[in-house]
């Protein structure tokens, strides 16, 4: 008998094509959630197996063994132990790669020993002839005691047959061969273990010993087995050895690999892309190409979005009657939504290019190449892509950490990525460098201003590595760091998989982080457009004071706007924090700039332009001249001298001045704890560094 709707768990090693098969089975009928209390995403989708049978397919994280080495991999065990849970599978679909069948079958034999109906899908069969591989499927099914289906998720081969097998899962036998393995290891040991709970299978009891989480046994029940750690480790190793011995015996009868018939260029390409010297140059060249594309391709749509939201806001100002509602919509809601949407081009382009590299198989080579270097700082090779991606924007970079399997390494990468200099800092860097650094040549070749900018980038990246090293030492997070990387074949990327990946990540940003960004934007609008009673008296007061002066209406409006900002809640906040920012060389105006730039770092310059009553915010020369002319009333000297300018530059190198980044950190960590820690820690580092620099140079 079959059910009208069945639960299918999709399990497999990384890079076996599991995600491609999931996309092929479910298409656009997918949803992404998260397991309760766990920071790992859960992907589920609906699938029609036959005319009368539907299925809910759960794509579990890739794992090399049922014995987890990371938080992601532990999900497989958590789902399979929860027999009463709604995600507990009626049938398990294990996906294997035709070229790496021996290693993939280790996981298959472990899953099968749980006694749950299990189907084996061998993927990438379209590559069999090219690799010189042949498989005796009938013999393999007899040896494994289950149904085996040859498929190509990419080319949609064997999918119909696979659906038919899954729909008739009830005809499959529940198989467990662990007793044979246990008797080879130590018959007496496992006989005593079985006596602990005769209603549970021997393999479940063994997992309860090795993982201490599988069954609800008390520690007293298993204490004698848990205490002997040396024997436990030895028996785990023996289990793996005996499993592989059986797998080798099976493959000798069913699997043939004839290298003479292979038409493989993979090994030749690997010698180039993973070369200990040229591999780094190739990677650096590809990165240059990627980020050049990001800036070139994203500029036009970002400018269009920025202009469209600005024009829309101005249009509504003209059409809507003046009042609080109009101001809220035009100065709060629309800029807030625009602040979300404007990131979409960068996110889309970056993740599109990364997805292409992943689908092609090259990204695994990069991770392998960089792992040795990153390991010294408590990271892994998988951290290098988010860190370098951060030079474009920290938001998609932090989202890219999802490829890191170790939660500790992923968390550290998330926390340190904002140190890398993103494009939002460039407006601040550019104008401050232009003010305080002379435009002259060094050694007759290098521009001093350009070298300063390069130094700021290097300082940010160096700070990220140092912070990662410190966090690795102080974070007491239990997380096994076992670096295993699959080297998949090079292949032409699947456009469907690439697009689904981009759509999923973009939706996550817009609908999750976007809500937080919009809320904070409205709060900032309120603080800048409201104040105590004195705020509402500013307009009449300025008009009275300036009545004798021949000011244009625009000049008068600017005077009023500047004074209103000073009297608003955010202006009062600037005055309040002036004693705090004074050691860094800043006055209340710069204090307001720091507060306002929390929305986004690049807001700092626009805020100063507003405070200084500059009409042409886009006119950099005008802003520069006004900032250069600004005088410190305490000293009578220029406000933006070398000491203050360097203090500001150092502050923005280290400060977490981006609410969008904090929102995405909250989204990725599923907690406000880490973005708050990040905000406070980076704020303290920025404040301390800027203060030291100012006091030393002044």
């Amino acid at each position: 008998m079959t059910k009208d709707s069945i639960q299918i768990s999709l399990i497999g090693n990384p890079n076996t094509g599991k995600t491609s098969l999931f996309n092929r089975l479910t298409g656009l009928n997918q949803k992404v959630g998260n397991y309760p209390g766990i920071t790992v995403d859960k992907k589920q989708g609906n699938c029609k197996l036959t005319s009368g049978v539907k299925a809910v397919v759960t794509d579990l994280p890739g794992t090399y063994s049922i014995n987890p080495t990371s938080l992601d991999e532990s999900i497989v065990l958590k789902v399979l132990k929860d027999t009463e849970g709604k995600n507990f599978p009626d049938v398990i679909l294990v996906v294997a790669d035709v070229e790496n069948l021996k290693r993939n079958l280790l996981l298959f034999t472990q899953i099968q020993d749980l006694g749950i109906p299990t189907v084996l899908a061998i993927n990438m069969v379209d590559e069999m002839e090219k690799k010189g591989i042949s498989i005796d499927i009938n013999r393999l099914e007899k040896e494994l005691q289950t149904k085996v289906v040859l498929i190509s998720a990419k080319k949609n081969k064997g999918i119909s047959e696979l659906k038919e097998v899954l729909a008739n899962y009830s005809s499959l036998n529940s198989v467990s061969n662990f007793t044979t393995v246990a008797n080879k290891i130590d018959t007496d040991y496992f006989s005593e273990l079985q006596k602990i709970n005769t209603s549970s299978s021997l393999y479940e009891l063994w997992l309860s010993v090795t993982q201490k989480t599988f069954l609800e046994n008390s520690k007293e029940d298993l204490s004698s087995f848990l205490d002997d750690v040396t024997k436990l480790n030895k028996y785990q190793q023996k289990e793996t050895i005996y499993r592989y011995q059986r797998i080798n015996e099976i493959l000798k009868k069913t699997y043939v690999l004839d290298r003479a018939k292979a038409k493989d260029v993979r090994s030749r390409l690997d010698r180039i892309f993973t070369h200990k010297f040229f591999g780094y140059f190739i990677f650096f060249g590809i990165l240059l190409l990627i980020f050049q594309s990001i800036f070139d391709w994203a500029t036009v749509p970002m400018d269009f979005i920025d202009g469209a939201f600005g024009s829309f806001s101005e249009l509504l100002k003209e059409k809507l009657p003046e009042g609080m509602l109009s101001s809220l919509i035009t100065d709060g809601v629309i800029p807030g939504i625009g602040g979300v949407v404007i990131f979409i081009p960068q996110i889309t382009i970056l993740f599109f290019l990364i997805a292409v590299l992943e689908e092609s198989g090259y990204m695994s080579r990069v991770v392998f190449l960089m792992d040795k270097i990153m390991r010294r700082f408590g990271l892994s090779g998988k951290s290098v892509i988010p860190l370098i991606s951060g030079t474009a924007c920290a938001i998609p970079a932090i989202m890219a950490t999802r490829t890191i399997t170790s939660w500790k390494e992923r968390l550290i990468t998330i926390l340190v990525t904002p140190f890398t200099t993103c494009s939002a800092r460039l407006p601040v860097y550019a104008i401050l460098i232009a003010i305080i650094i002379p435009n002259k040549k060094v050694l007759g070749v290098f521009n001093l201003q350009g070298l300063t900018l390069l130094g700021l980038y290097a300082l940010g990246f160096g700070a990220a590595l140092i912070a990662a090293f410190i966090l690795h030492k102080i974070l007491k997070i239990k997380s096994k760091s076992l670096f295993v990387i699959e080297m998949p074949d090079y292949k032409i990327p699947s456009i469907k998989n690439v697009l689904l990946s981009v759509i999923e990540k973009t939706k996550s940003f817009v609908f999750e982080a976007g809500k937080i960004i919009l809320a904070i934007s409205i709060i900032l609008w309120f603080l800048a457009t409201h104040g105590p009673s004195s705020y509402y008296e500013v307009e009449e007061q300025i008009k009275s004071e300036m009545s004798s002066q021949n000011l244009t209406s625009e000049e008068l409006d600017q005077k009023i706007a500047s004074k209103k900002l000073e009297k608003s809640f955010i202006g009062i906040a600037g005055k309040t924090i002036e004693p705090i920012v004074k050691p860094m060389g800043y006055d209340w105006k710069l204090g307001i700039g720091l507060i306002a730039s929390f929305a986004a770092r690049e807001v700092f310059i626009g805020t100063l332009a507003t405070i200084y009553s500059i009409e042409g915010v886009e006119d950099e020369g005008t802003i520069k001249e006004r900032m250069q002319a600004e005088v410190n009333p305490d000293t009578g000297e220029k406000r933006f001298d070398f000491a203050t300018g360097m203090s500001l530059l150092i502050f923005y190198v280290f400060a977490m001045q981006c609410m969008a980044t904090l929102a995405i950190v909250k989204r990725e960590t599923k907690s406000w704890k880490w973005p708050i820690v990040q905000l406070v820690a980076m704020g303290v580092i920025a404040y301390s560094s800027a203060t030291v620099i100012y006091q030393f140079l002044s």
Side-chain angles (χ1 to χ4, degrees):
M1 292 181 64
T2 58
K3 294 165 59 176
D4 290 338
S5 182
I6 63 176
Q7 289 283 341
I8 301 173
S9 286
L10 202 58
I11 300 175
N13 291 178
N15 296 306
T16 55
K18 183 168 63 69
T19 300
S20 296
L21 178 57
F22 177 74
N23 291 335
R24 179 67 68 182
L25 290 173
T26 62
L28 294 174
N29 300 312
Q30 302 176 11
K31 61 179 180 179
V32 179
N34 67 281
Y35 296 93
I38 301 172
T39 58
V40 179
D41 283 340
K42 175 177 67 178
K43 291 177 66 177
Q44 284 188 322
N46 296 316
C47 172
K48 187 176 182 180
L49 298 178
T50 63
S51 58
V53 182
K54 297 179 181 178
V56 177
V57 184
T58 302
D59 184 14
L60 296 177
T63 180
Y64 290 96
S65 168
I66 202 172
N67 299 299
T69 58
S70 71
L71 180 61
D72 291 35
E73 293 180 348
S74 70
I75 297 301
V76 176
L77 195 56
K78 287 180 183 295
V79 170
L80 298 183
K81 79 168 185 176
D82 188 12
T83 56
E84 301 300 323
K86 64 178 182 179
N87 293 316
F88 186 77
D90 295 302
V91 58
I92 297 174
L93 177 57
V94 177
V95 185
D97 173 9
V98 71
E99 192 177 8
N100 298 293
L101 196 55
K102 178 181 176 179
R103 184 179 63 251
N104 297 163
L105 283 178
L106 173 66
L107 176 62
F108 173 82
T109 60
Q110 291 175 325
I111 297 293
Q112 192 179 44
D113 282 346
L114 292 172
I116 306 171
T118 305
V119 175
L120 178 65
I122 301 178
N123 193 22
M124 306 179 192
V125 295
D126 52 307
E127 300 288 320
M128 286 177 61
E129 183 179 352
K130 195 180 297 182
K131 302 293 181 184
I133 297 171
S134 61
I135 301 175
D136 185 342
I137 292 298
N138 293 329
R139 185 70 181 270
L140 185 60
E141 286 184 337
K142 290 178 181 178
E143 294 289 342
L144 295 178
Q145 299 171 275
T146 191
K147 293 295 292 184
V148 179
V149 185
L150 293 176
I151 67 167
S152 172
K154 181 180 177 182
K155 296 191 175 180
N156 201 25
K157 291 182 178 179
I159 304 300
S160 298
E161 181 186 350
L162 178 62
K163 288 182 177 180
E164 189 70 32
V165 169
L166 292 171
N168 294 286
Y169 76 94
S170 58
S171 64
L172 300 173
N173 296 322
S174 295
V175 179
S176 179
N177 296 301
F178 184 69
T179 302
T180 304
V181 175
N183 289 335
K184 288 183 178 181
I185 298 172
D186 188 332
T187 303
D188 294 338
Y189 176 93
F190 284 98
S191 294
E192 290 298 317
L193 181 60
Q194 184 67 78
K195 293 177 183 178
I196 297 292
N197 189 334
T198 55
S199 62
S200 298
S201 73
L202 182 59
Y203 190 51
E204 288 176 333
L205 286 165
W206 174 237
L207 286 174
S208 71
V209 174
T210 58
Q211 300 302 320
K212 307 178 185 66
T213 58
F214 197 84
L215 295 176
E216 297 300 325
N217 294 310
S218 65
K219 289 187 177 180
E220 288 73 21
D221 289 338
L222 299 169
S223 58
S224 60
F225 297 94
L226 295 172
D227 291 342
D228 195 342
V229 178
T230 303
K231 181 181 284 188
L232 183 60
N233 291 336
K234 180 181 178 181
Y235 285 0
Q236 280 187 286
Q237 292 172 3
K238 283 190 174 184
E239 179 199 351
T240 303
I241 291 170
Y242 291 139
R243 285 186 184 278
Y244 270 126
Q245 284 181 355
R246 179 171 174 261
I247 291 168
N248 286 335
E249 291 172 1
I250 292 172
L251 292 181
K252 282 180 182 178
K253 304 173 186 176
T254 61
Y255 185 88
V256 177
L257 173 59
D258 189 349
R259 291 289 185 189
K261 296 180 180 179
K263 307 169 185 178
D264 191 13
V265 296
R266 168 180 164 176
S267 56
R268 283 177 283 178
L269 289 175
D270 276 346
R271 282 196 291 270
I272 298 171
F273 289 127
T274 62
H275 191 274
K276 62 181 180 180
F277 182 73
F278 295 110
Y280 293 101
F281 279 93
I282 294 171
F283 176 48
F284 183 70
I286 290 174
L287 285 178
L288 283 178
L289 180 63
I290 287 175
F291 290 117
Q292 185 64 45
S293 300
I294 289 172
F295 286 113
D296 286 348
W297 298 349
T299 298
V300 173
M302 289 178 77
D303 288 345
F304 173 78
I305 292 169
D306 192 29
F309 274 89
S311 300
F312 185 53
S313 180
E314 290 299 320
L315 178 63
L316 289 182
K317 282 183 180 179
E318 295 176 2
K319 300 295 184 182
L320 295 175
E322 290 188 13
M324 185 176 296
L325 178 61
S326 174
S327 178
L328 170 62
I329 295 172
T330 58
D331 298 326
V333 175
I334 292 176
I337 296 174
V340 176
V341 177
I342 198 169
F343 285 111
I344 290 178
Q346 282 189 330
I347 289 174
T348 303
I349 292 170
L350 181 60
F351 273 105
F352 175 80
L353 295 172
I354 289 178
V356 168
L357 291 179
E358 288 176 342
E359 280 278 311
S360 68
Y362 175 72
M363 196 60 76
S364 297
R365 276 76 184 175
V366 171
V367 171
F368 171 79
L369 193 67
M370 296 298 295
D371 181 69
K372 191 173 182 179
I373 296 174
M374 304 304 290
R375 212 38 81 188
R376 298 175 183 176
F377 297 96
L379 301 172
S380 74
K382 294 180 180 180
S383 302
V384 71
I385 299 300
L387 286 176
I388 296 176
S389 300
T391 58
C393 179
I395 293 168
I398 288 171
M399 292 170 69
T401 62
R402 295 176 181 181
T403 60
I404 303 172
T405 54
S406 167
W407 169 238
K408 182 176 180 180
E409 290 172 359
R410 183 186 174 199
L411 177 62
I412 292 174
T413 307
I414 288 173
L415 294 177
V416 305
T417 293
F419 279 117
T420 56
T421 297
C422 66
S423 57
R425 288 181 171 107
L426 286 179
V428 181
Y429 287 175
I431 198 165
L432 290 174
I433 288 173
I435 291 173
I436 66 171
I437 304 297
N439 185 13
K440 66 178 184 180
K441 298 288 185 180
V442 176
L443 301 177
V445 179
F446 303 104
N447 184 282
L448 183 58
Q449 293 180 337
L451 289 176
T452 304
L453 183 60
L454 178 62
L456 294 173
Y457 270 83
L459 180 61
F461 194 79
L465 294 180
I466 293 171
F469 180 79
I470 295 171
L471 287 170
H472 177 66
K473 296 297 182 183
I474 65 175
L475 283 179
K476 304 301 180 183
I477 298 176
K478 291 183 180 180
S479 181
K480 295 180 182 178
S481 181
L482 176 63
F483 180 72
V484 181
I485 183 67
E486 182 86 18
M487 289 294 194
D489 281 341
Y490 296 97
K491 58 184 179 180
I492 298 174
S494 164
I495 297 300
K496 180 179 180 180
N497 290 344
V498 169
L499 292 179
L500 283 172
S501 175
V502 172
I503 290 170
E504 176 192 326
K505 291 177 173 64
T506 304
K507 281 170 61 179
S508 295
F509 168 71
V510 172
F511 293 108
E512 296 296 330
K515 291 183 290 188
I516 302 173
I517 296 170
L518 178 60
I520 297 178
S521 296
I522 292 173
I523 292 171
L524 288 175
W525 160 82
F526 179 83
L527 295 176
T529 55
H530 293 76
S533 57
S534 58
Y535 171 85
Y536 301 99
E537 299 170 358
V538 167
E539 186 169 352
E540 293 300 323
Q541 182 183 344
I542 294 296
K543 287 181 178 179
S544 176
E545 292 176 357
M546 299 297 168
S547 58
S548 60
Q549 300 184 24
N550 295 323
L551 297 178
T552 64
S553 59
E554 289 182 355
E555 290 173 336
L556 183 61
D557 289 342
Q558 288 175 357
K559 290 284 185 182
I560 294 171
S562 180
K563 193 65 176 177
K564 272 191 168 184
L565 186 63
E566 183 180 342
K567 295 292 185 180
S568 68
F569 288 126
I570 202 170
I572 294 171
K575 288 283 190 178
T576 303
I577 69 169
E578 188 171 32
I580 300 174
V581 300
K582 198 167 186 179
M584 294 190 289
Y586 312 156
D587 60 2
W588 73 269
K589 296 179 182 179
L590 288 176
I592 291 179
L594 296 185
I595 294 174
S597 66
F598 175 72
R601 297 175 183 95
E602 64 269 37
V603 173
F604 177 75
I605 299 301
T607 303
L608 291 185
T610 302
I611 294 171
Y612 295 144
S613 301
I614 302 300
E615 180 181 355
V617 176
E618 299 294 332
D619 186 352
E620 184 181 314
T622 306
I623 300 172
K624 197 185 304 179
E625 290 172 6
R626 187 65 186 86
M627 291 173 69
Q628 286 174 324
E630 184 71 10
V631 175
N632 184 339
D634 296 334
T635 63
E637 298 178 357
K638 290 184 177 181
R639 162 61 62 195
F640 291 94
D641 56 11
F642 183 74
T644 303
M646 286 304 300
S647 173
L648 275 168
L649 287 173
I650 296 301
F651 180 85
Y652 277 101
V653 166
F654 298 130
M656 168 55 80
Q657 293 292 104
C658 182
M659 68 177 183
T661 302
L662 287 174
I664 211 66
V665 171
K666 190 269 177 186
R667 152 70 185 163
E668 294 300 305
T669 61
K670 308 292 192 296
S671 168
W672 275 112
K673 172 186 175 182
W674 296 114
I676 291 172
V677 168
Q678 192 178 41
L679 175 64
V680 173
M682 293 184 70
V684 169
I685 294 170
Y687 181 84
S688 303
S689 302
T691 300
V692 170
I693 288 293
Y694 177 75
Q695 297 298 332
F696 178 76
L697 294 176
S698 60

